[in-house]
Amino acid sequence: MVASFYGFIVSGILILNISLAIALIFLERRDASSTWAWILVLFFIPILGFGIYLLFGRKLRKKTLFRWEGKNKIGIDKLIEFQMEAIEDDSFDFRLDDAMHYKELIVMHLHNNQAVLTQDNKVEIFIDGREKFDALLHDIGQAKDHIHIQYYIFRLDSLGQQIYQAVLAKAKQGIKIRILYDDTGSRFLRKRQFKELIALGGRVEAFFPSIFPLINPRMNYRNHRKIVVIDGRIGYIGGFNVGDEYLGLKKKFGYWRDTHLRIEGSSVHPLQTRFILDWNQASAEHDIEYSDIFFPAIPMKGSVGLQIVSSGPDSEWEQIKNGYLKLIMMAKKYIYIQSPYFIPDASFMDTLRIACLSGIDVRIMIPNKPDHIFVYWATYSYVGDLIKAGAKVYIYQNGFLHTKMIVIDDEASTVGTANIDVRSFKLNFEVNAFIYDRETSHQLAVIFEEDMKLSTEMTAEMYEERSRMIKFKESLARLISPIL
């Protein structure tokens, strides 16, 4: 009797796994690599695998997540149409050759991502957490109307309290405060912890919150963006979240090496638009309606060309990945890449291999310690392949490398939130600044080269000498890398 009962259970699990595998293959129409990875998970860990699939494997429904009626009032559609037509008939006013040289990339972002090109920006680069947050706290203190804050991770630890007390002080002055955090990235944060700010009229929202404690059925689709906009005039974008580890105060990681941009100029408006779209998705009662105060006239601050590019599972195309690939394909001299997670898909690997085999100086920098262990070993597997093609790979030794940056030829670059992995390309909501400016790109290249002095080069000989256990870990991690 007991044996037949267990046989019934086993048969039921087998039928359930087969049914789910059929759904994966014929109904969801995933790419082959992720389909095989999920089938392996389902059949090798049948019960737990099904639970993992429910949490991490289900596709996000293709519906309009980000709506804002005020978007039309800022004239984005008309501006895009004007820029597209002007570029096509060669009448667009490229103020600098740097932007004109990357016309094809600019058009791709314009046409597919509504990423308008602005050429009047001033950009300040931060690579140290304390310097970045000191600047942010100063700008918060100078706010005159509103402060919009969005982070994937927001901890109310020492750093988080500094920021919270700063915005509290501004709320008491009548400044409008909005804080948006990701519910999974900030899993221990609760809106009630901001009760004093809310009592003063501030607003706090969580992106894709869960109705169940510690379990979020949409945890696979996270808002990984980091955006701050102050008075519609100053914007921040990059890799730093809010937490003491980003100041290098956590022993596990040591010094935290990241890259963040402070922007003044017309590209603050696209950052503002991105924040408002994300905010209105998360807010059930306090949507932002259009107001001129969010999009003030900004006098020319500089001459840096910028496009703010967003991507996410709501989009038909992998916008930031496509931008990365196009940028790499346009390189003539060198390609510098920094990413904490390097798990490229086949198209990305082929593009980098072709660059290496074409004699282009390809350099990739990754961290020396794991943040996520499977991702870490998969990263080593992929960089090992590129070393064979001629790429130079550097292991950063001065703490944890978290920056997401690509620079080519001292001419163009990108900094933002998107890692080089399937999660950033397809699953997370990300945002990057694409930069068309020699001076800024050269600064980023110099930063990369300074980081090389704090790194160890992984040679082909070193990679081949790794132990059998490491080879096994790499092979296992690579096998499931399409779903990491």
Side-chain angles (χ1 to χ4, degrees):
M1 186 74 176
V2 174
S4 62
F5 173 75
Y6 281 115
F8 175 77
I9 294 295
V10 171
S11 298
I13 292 171
L14 181 61
I15 291 170
L16 184 63
N17 277 345
I18 292 173
S19 300
L20 189 53
I22 291 171
L24 279 169
I25 295 169
F26 296 106
L27 299 180
E28 295 205 355
R29 298 183 67 86
R30 297 170 182 265
D31 61 86
S33 59
S34 63
T35 297
W36 278 112
W38 276 118
I39 288 174
L40 285 171
V41 169
L42 290 171
F43 280 92
F44 278 97
I45 44 176
I47 299 175
L48 181 60
F50 181 70
I52 293 173
Y53 173 79
L54 290 178
L55 286 176
F56 296 102
R58 293 188 303 163
K59 283 191 172 183
L60 189 69
R61 290 183 180 180
K62 294 287 185 181
K63 61 181 181 179
T64 303
L65 290 173
F66 303 103
R67 292 174 289 182
W68 179 42
E69 293 180 2
K71 192 174 178 183
N72 293 329
K73 295 182 180 179
I74 59 177
I76 287 180
D77 291 340
K78 290 183 178 179
L79 180 56
I80 291 168
E81 183 180 351
F82 168 77
Q83 289 196 350
M84 287 289 294
E85 290 178 355
I87 289 173
E88 288 172 4
D89 63 20
D90 290 327
S91 63
F92 189 84
D93 180 20
F94 285 108
R95 296 172 188 164
L96 296 172
D97 292 340
D98 302 337
M100 184 170 63
H101 181 66
Y102 293 91
K103 181 171 69 172
E104 293 176 4
L105 176 57
I106 291 166
V107 168
M108 184 181 75
H109 288 323
L110 261 174
H111 183 69
N112 298 301
N113 198 240
Q114 294 189 315
V116 297
L117 173 68
T118 63
Q119 302 180 91
D120 61 348
N121 302 284
K122 176 184 176 183
V123 174
E124 186 174 1
I125 302 168
F126 294 102
I127 61 173
D128 176 81
R130 175 45 64 192
E131 292 179 1
K132 180 257 177 172
F133 286 107
D134 282 348
L136 177 60
L137 287 165
H138 176 268
D139 287 334
I140 287 173
Q142 301 300 308
K144 300 293 189 295
D145 182 79
H146 63 273
I147 300 168
H148 292 163
I149 295 175
Q150 175 179 354
Y151 283 100
Y152 171 65
I153 296 173
F154 195 112
R155 306 191 199 282
L156 281 175
D157 51 16
S158 177
L159 175 61
Q161 285 293 342
Q162 277 188 277
I163 294 174
Y164 184 42
Q165 294 303 319
V167 297
L168 267 180
K170 300 307 290 187
K172 292 174 182 177
Q173 298 174 15
I175 306 301
K176 300 175 184 65
I177 311 295
R178 294 178 178 89
I179 298 176
L180 175 62
Y181 63 90
D182 183 83
D183 189 66
T184 297
S186 308
R187 61 179 60 88
F188 300 113
L189 193 64
R190 298 293 180 268
K191 288 174 67 173
R192 63 177 177 269
Q193 294 173 268
F194 296 93
K195 61 182 180 181
E196 188 176 357
L197 175 64
I198 294 171
L200 291 168
R203 304 298 181 196
V204 179
E205 297 290 352
F207 186 88
F208 277 4
S210 176
I211 59 175
F212 307 107
L214 302 178
I215 299 176
N216 192 326
R218 293 185 291 184
M219 69 188 306
N220 207 34
Y221 303 101
R222 307 317 313 169
N223 197 317
H224 197 234
R225 296 166 182 149
K226 296 96 176 169
I227 296 171
V228 177
V229 178
I230 298 172
D231 292 341
R233 298 178 182 275
I234 297 171
Y236 285 82
I237 179 175
F240 283 107
N241 287 293
V242 175
D244 286 349
E245 64 266 42
Y246 301 95
L247 301 181
L249 299 179
K250 292 294 179 70
K251 186 177 181 180
K252 176 183 176 180
F253 296 108
Y255 180 73
W256 191 279
R257 169 66 182 85
D258 222 320
T259 305
H260 222 89
L261 306 179
R262 180 185 184 272
I263 300 171
E264 291 183 88
S266 295
S267 269
V268 177
H269 289 179
L271 275 178
Q272 181 82 287
T273 302
R274 181 70 267 165
F275 175 87
I276 292 173
L277 288 167
D278 287 3
W279 175 269
N280 284 356
Q281 191 287 325
S283 174
E285 302 174 353
H286 306 293
D287 283 7
I288 297 175
E289 297 182 358
Y290 174 81
S291 171
D292 289 338
I293 201 69
F294 296 131
F295 300 93
I298 301 176
M300 183 176 290
K301 294 291 183 177
S303 58
V304 177
L306 283 178
Q307 283 180 296
I308 303 299
V309 179
S310 304
S311 66
D314 60 315
S315 173
E316 182 178 0
W317 310 109
E318 297 168 24
Q319 308 286 4
I320 294 177
K321 187 195 88 168
N322 290 344
Y324 282 174
L325 291 178
K326 186 67 174 177
L327 192 63
I328 289 168
M329 287 187 285
M330 298 182 79
K332 298 292 188 293
K333 300 175 183 176
Y334 75 78
I335 301 163
Y336 291 171
I337 297 174
Q338 287 179 314
S339 179
Y341 318 124
F342 188 84
I343 310 178
D345 61 11
S347 64
F348 207 102
M349 282 292 285
D350 285 343
T351 302
L352 284 177
R353 281 196 197 98
I354 291 169
C356 291
L357 298 173
S358 301
I360 294 172
D361 182 8
V362 177
R363 305 187 187 192
I364 301 165
M365 191 176 295
I366 58 175
N368 73 334
K369 57 186 70 178
D371 183 15
H372 304 289
I373 191 66
F374 277 107
V375 174
Y376 180 71
W377 291 118
T379 291
Y380 267 65
S381 170
Y382 285 104
V383 297
D385 281 357
L386 289 172
I387 288 172
K388 296 174 183 177
K392 296 178 181 178
V393 175
Y394 298 89
I395 313 300
Y396 185 75
Q397 301 292 349
N398 191 43
F400 185 68
L401 182 78
H402 190 251
T403 180
K404 305 95 167 53
M405 181 184 80
I406 299 177
V407 188
I408 68 164
D409 297 349
D410 269 16
E411 291 181 353
S413 50
T414 180
V415 171
T417 68
N419 299 302
I420 298 173
D421 61 11
V422 173
R423 182 158 299 279
S424 281
F425 292 162
K426 291 186 177 182
L427 302 178
N428 284 343
F429 299 93
E430 308 279 4
V431 63
N432 268 51
F434 280 76
I435 305 164
Y436 313 103
D437 179 67
R438 289 178 185 271
E439 183 178 346
T440 305
S441 298
H442 176 70
Q443 288 180 42
L444 291 169
V446 169
I447 290 168
F448 183 98
E449 290 163 359
E450 289 298 312
D451 287 337
M452 284 172 51
K453 298 175 183 177
L454 302 171
S455 304
T456 302
E457 182 177 359
M458 179 189 287
T459 63
E461 292 75 21
M462 290 171 57
Y463 185 71
E464 289 301 323
E465 289 173 0
R466 68 202 192 284
S467 68
R468 289 183 179 179
M469 179 56 68
I470 291 177
K471 291 179 181 179
F472 173 77
K473 291 177 180 179
E474 286 184 13
S475 298
L476 178 62
R478 185 156 181 162
L479 196 62
I480 62 171
S481 64
I483 60 175
L484 287 178

